[in-house]
Amino acid sequence: MALELAIKDSKGEIILATDADCRVSKHWAISMANLVKKTNKVVIGYSKIKSKTTIINEIQKIDFLGIMASIIPFIGCNQAPRNQFSGAQTKQGIGVFATNYLDRMDTKSQILLYPQKPIVDTSIGKYINTQSLPFGQNAIVAIGCFTGYNQDDSIIMNQSSIDRGLFRSIKYRTYLTEEETTKNGEKKKIKFPTNLENLPAGNFALLRQGGLYDGIVMEESKVNENDALIGVTLEKKNDIQDNSVFIRKNESGIVDKVFLDTDVDGGKYCKIRIRKEKIPELGDKFASRHGQKGVIGMKLNQNDLIMSENGLVPDMIINPQAFPKRMTIGQLVETVFGKQAILKGELSEVTNFINITKSEIGDVLQKLGFHKYGNEILYNSITGEQLMVPIFIGPTYYQRLYHQ
């Protein structure tokens, strides 16, 4: 078959070629060629050639990874299914999904209040905006059993860290309605429902009466179950009924934004966005970037947890049995690298599939005065007694998942 475009290196060998049957488009090939040309890695030449085979060669070893997989540090140290689970879990992670989220009226969304860029990031992460639009926080995680409330995949969370804003988020929900006339001649209008019989059980006291915003709740009003947000009447031939928009059952919040406008026919339509602060509670899900997902099993104050000789108290305690079967060694390596980065006052950037030895990791920590494999002697804050065994502790990037 005839190839439309071939990219050659300085020796004249084909490193990338495209044709009509190839997934790689000609425009993509040209753009990639220009990128490589600017970096002076290879000398690019274009030519039209004829061949019986299509030759495609990866420019970088990590180019075959997708977006979700490319942000997992030390992905080569994990079991393959865990990397797949991590991709699914990261899609559920709460972060900053758009810079203009305050101007959007999404049906349902959630924003992490204090997102942080990862201490240990991948080399490709900076190109896909994981640092400018983060999706988690750097938590101090200890791996060990304590009080029995972190069995299986349960997590013991530091209540004092939660009070300081750890994994706190805001949930947004939008309610909307519009004026219209049906084929039967029924007219749907946005206004305060007055002089109506058989009004449904609900609170209409928050709706404004008269003016441009007649029948619409005020911004920054606190609303609860059975509170009306938009007053709507349905005018039939011989009757007028109430069709107001109420907040959902078992939901509450604060009116964050009110949007009112008219369509081409002059009918009004209204959107109201409700916000609610979500504080981590029992049963909420969290996950690392290595497929280690768990739920909060207990929240304890920091004076009821464990601490190091320097007074460091972990934000989370997870069960050590999560690692032998799942074999997510990448999380352990991330913790050690993050510990080095914090002690040296810098951020770490790693390239996946690089060869790392235990001695290379441990020597740096040992020179900084810590145990070479990240273990520390911890103490029971309640009794002051030293724990019988050293505990592996350090910073790990964790995500709060959307399902709560």
Side-chain angles (χ1 to χ4, degrees), residues 5-17 33 36 42-50:
L5 176 69
I7 301 176
K8 298 181 178 181
D9 61 11
S10 56
K11 297 179 181 179
E13 296 180 356
I14 300 172
I15 61 172
L16 180 65
V36 177
V42 293
V43 178
I44 298 300
Y46 307 106
S47 63
K48 289 187 176 181
I49 64 173
K50 293 184 178 181

Side-chain angles (χ1 to χ4, degrees), residues 306-327:
I306 52 179
M307 65 176 181
S308 69
E309 60 181 5
N310 298 321
L312 178 67
V313 180
D315 299 313
M316 308 168 65
I317 304 178
I318 63 177
N319 198 296
Q321 295 181 1
F323 292 91
K325 185 177 180 180
R326 295 169 182 169
M327 293 185 287

Side-chain angles (χ1 to χ4, degrees), residues 86 146 259 285 324:
S86 174
F146 186 70
F259 180 80
K285 293 182 181 179

Side-chain angles (χ1 to χ4, degrees), residues 146-149 155-163 282 296-306 313-315 317 382:
F146 186 70
T147 71
Y149 282 100
I155 300 171
I156 295 177
M157 191 76 76
N158 188 338
Q159 179 64 55
S160 303
S161 299
I162 294 175
D163 296 339
L282 298 184
I296 298 181
M298 178 56 69
K299 296 188 293 182
L300 298 175
N301 293 320
Q302 66 180 31
N303 55 354
D304 295 327
L305 284 167
I306 52 179
V313 180
D315 299 313
I317 304 178
I382 302 174

Side-chain angles (χ1 to χ4, degrees), residues 50-70:
K50 293 184 178 181
S51 174
K52 293 183 179 180
T53 59
T54 300
I55 304 169
I56 297 178
N57 188 20
E58 300 290 351
I59 297 175
Q60 291 283 348
K61 288 194 295 184
I62 61 173
D63 281 347
F64 68 91
L65 295 177
I67 292 178
M68 294 294 103
S70 63

Side-chain angles (χ1 to χ4, degrees), residues 249-269:
K249 288 186 177 181
N250 302 320
E251 289 196 6
S252 61
I254 296 174
V255 179
D256 186 66
K257 189 173 184 179
V258 175
F259 180 80
L260 181 66
D261 206 345
T262 56
D263 56 24
V264 292
D265 299 325
K268 294 191 295 185
Y269 65 91

Side-chain angles (χ1 to χ4, degrees), residues 19 37-38 67 93 160 194 238 244 256 266 316 334-335 355:
D19 63 4
K37 190 175 182 180
K38 289 179 181 178
I67 292 178
S160 303
T194 55
N238 302 320
S244 298
D256 186 66
M316 308 168 65
E334 177 195 344
T335 302
N355 294 321

